[in-house]
Amino acid sequence: MEIIGFFHALALHTHPQMQYIFIKNIKTLLKGNRERDDGITIQLQTAITTHSSHIVSECDFDDIKYLRKNNSTCDVKAKNLKSLQDEYKSEDDAEDIKLKKAYKFLKQYLTLNRAELFFADKAIFIEGETEKILVPAMMKKIDQEFSAPDETPLLSQNISMVEVGAYSQTFEKFIDFIGVKSLVITDIDSQYVRDIIKDGNTKKETIKCKPSDPLADQTSNASLKFFFGNDDLAFYKNLSINQKSLRKDGTQWIQDPDGYFLMAYQTNEDGYHGRSFEDAFFSLNKDLLGKSAEAFPSLTKRHFDIYVDSDDACPFDFAEKAVNSKPTLAIEILLNSKKTGDNEFSNWQVPSYIKEGLLWLRKN
């Protein structure tokens, strides 16, 4: 005997913990009642519709069918996530092992940590805790300072933020699969390589440096190198925002001003080109620090005093030497923010690379 069961919008308005318990109990109940008293086994198929990321996180990845509406044409496309596995295969044995490992991580990460990405209209991929704490404040600041009557405010849009470290490339097949407009906020990670002699042998040594350093000629950022296929620093320093916009063509990502994927990284601003978020932020917002290190205990006082008292102190050196905890620094930035009128964060500026990325993402 075969029975088909439909469950619509399960537990959508209940507490998240109740949703976890509910779907677990439903699955247990369905699994345990497939044999009737007369010994006949019921072949039970179930279809569960939901807008709950909590329920999705308790489902088997391969059982999820993803439905997405095209707002322009009103068409609805259905995709079986099990078929995503086919994208993570290669005829090259070494590459195939690498892709299978990436797919395993993707399944675990999405279902355990970020199932809400299935329901997002747009996504922001960030490196870590610093951006996780500050980007929502930056979104609000941009909505307040750069309002546009024909654009929905960022904080009113269905945008999911995902921490990926320096591994946004691991998600590239999934991003293309679900087709959501996506912004990656990353670092330019400038460097150069020099020869050193150690124990009579010549070895290569990698040196982190400012993008403006005369010797800087490479980026170490794996995501940038993956999506653009280039490690030449000059290439990235010369790209306009339209040239940082990408779309996938077959198996390759190509530059397209109308693309749905944007890589945002540090640019030259007010005569300084940052290497990371921290030095880019410090170069713009020195006044926020004030003259007393007490307001920023995450920063080493000795380096703090040198930086705020000197007109020619280097933001890169300060960021490298003074920052003891990046997440704590992010919290301290919010704690020391001041409100002026409707602007809740009036005493600091958003670095231009993040600003231009968020403005790009806000557009429909």
Side-chain angles (χ1 to χ4, degrees):
M1 177 181 291
E2 185 169 326
I3 296 177
I4 301 177
F6 291 93
F7 300 84
H8 176 63
L10 284 184
L12 186 58
H13 301 293
T14 60
H15 188 277
Q17 188 61 32
M18 182 61 71
Q19 294 181 40
Y20 288 125
I21 295 172
F22 187 78
I23 188 61
K24 284 181 178 180
N25 289 344
I26 285 289
K27 291 170 69 176
T28 301
L29 181 66
L30 294 174
K31 186 176 181 180
N33 288 274
R34 294 193 175 187
E35 188 170 317
R36 301 192 328 187
D37 292 340
D38 59 7
I40 295 177
T41 299
I42 300 172
Q43 302 300 322
L44 180 63
Q45 293 187 49
T46 58
I48 298 174
T49 65
T50 184
H51 290 89
S52 168
S53 60
H54 308 293
I55 286 179
V56 169
S57 69
E58 291 297 326
C59 295
D60 292 333
F61 192 83
D62 292 344
D63 292 339
I64 298 172
K65 188 172 286 289
Y66 179 76
L67 304 176
R68 183 171 182 82
K69 180 182 177 181
N70 186 315
N71 291 326
S72 300
T73 63
C74 293
D75 292 337
V76 176
K77 290 186 177 181
K79 293 186 176 182
N80 191 338
L81 288 191
K82 189 175 182 179
S83 63
L84 180 62
Q85 186 173 3
D86 295 335
E87 300 293 325
Y88 287 82
K89 292 181 179 179
S90 174
E91 294 181 358
D92 180 79
D93 290 342
E95 182 67 14
D96 191 61
I97 293 173
K98 182 179 177 181
L99 288 173
K100 281 183 169 58
K101 185 178 180 180
Y103 179 70
K104 179 182 177 182
F105 162 78
L106 183 72
K107 288 204 307 180
Q108 294 171 334
Y109 187 85
L110 289 176
T111 52
L112 293 175
N113 299 284
R114 287 292 178 267
E116 74 269 14
L117 190 56
F118 290 111
F119 305 100
D121 294 321
K122 298 176 182 179
I124 303 175
F125 293 88
I126 57 176
E127 292 206 354
E129 288 294 321
T130 303
E131 293 86 353
K132 182 180 179 181
I133 295 168
L134 287 177
V135 167
M138 292 177 175
M139 293 166 72
K140 187 169 189 177
K141 183 175 173 67
I142 284 173
D143 283 339
Q144 292 172 339
E145 296 179 356
F146 302 93
S147 61
D150 58 338
E151 294 179 7
T152 304
L154 284 162
L155 292 182
S156 296
Q157 297 190 39
N158 186 16
I159 300 174
S160 182
M161 191 154 52
V162 186
E163 300 164 64
V164 296
Y167 298 98
S168 58
Q169 67 272 22
T170 304
F171 292 80
E172 60 98 11
K173 297 180 187 299
F174 179 76
I175 294 168
D176 182 58
F177 186 82
I178 63 175
V180 296
K181 188 175 185 179
S182 300
L183 168 67
V184 175
I185 299 176
T186 190
D187 294 330
I188 197 168
D189 290 335
S190 47
Q191 66 176 25
Y192 63 89
V193 178
R194 68 180 181 185
D195 292 333
I196 61 170
I197 298 176
K198 188 173 182 180
D199 299 328
N201 298 315
T202 301
K203 296 183 179 180
K204 300 291 186 182
E205 181 182 36
T206 300
I207 306 296
K208 296 193 296 182
C209 61
K210 297 181 296 182
S212 59
D213 190 302
L215 296 176
D217 61 355
Q218 300 176 0
T219 175
S220 62
N221 189 297
S223 293
L224 290 178
K225 290 189 285 187
F226 175 86
F227 286 105
F228 289 98
N230 200 326
D231 69 352
D232 179 49
L233 185 64
F235 169 81
Y236 295 102
K237 290 172 67 174
N238 292 324
L239 292 183
S240 67
I241 184 170
N242 286 337
Q243 293 171 321
K244 298 172 187 174
S245 178
L246 306 167
R247 66 174 175 85
K248 198 165 189 181
D249 182 23
T251 60
Q252 300 294 320
W253 288 88
I254 62 172
Q255 292 167 278
D256 183 346
D258 297 319
Y260 55 91
F261 186 84
L262 184 80
M263 301 288 292
Y265 52 85
Q266 291 78 22
T267 56
N268 191 306
E269 186 171 11
D270 293 341
Y272 180 80
H273 196 144
R275 183 185 190 272
S276 67
F277 166 77
E278 287 75 25
D279 67 322
F281 186 87
F282 289 142
S283 71
L284 278 180
N285 299 289
K286 191 173 183 177
D287 290 343
L288 173 68
L289 300 177
K291 294 295 184 179
S292 174
E294 292 182 2
F296 290 88
S298 67
L299 302 175
T300 302
K301 185 179 185 304
R302 179 168 65 90
H303 296 296
F304 178 96
D305 292 340
I306 293 173
Y307 184 68
V308 299
D309 291 337
S310 173
D311 291 333
D312 57 358
C314 176
F316 172 75
D317 292 336
F318 179 56
E320 288 292 301
K321 296 175 182 178
V323 180
N324 297 308
S325 170
K326 293 181 180 181
T328 304
L329 172 63
I331 294 171
E332 291 165 1
I333 290 171
L334 296 183
L335 287 173
N336 287 281
S337 296
K338 293 181 180 179
K339 182 176 181 179
T340 302
D342 293 331
N343 189 339
E344 293 189 30
F345 312 101
S346 62
N347 59 335
W348 53 266
Q349 299 179 57
V350 179
S352 61
Y353 73 100
I354 298 179
K355 182 193 304 180
E356 69 178 15
L358 291 175
L359 288 172
W360 172 87
L361 188 68
R362 191 172 69 178
K363 296 180 185 296
N364 295 326

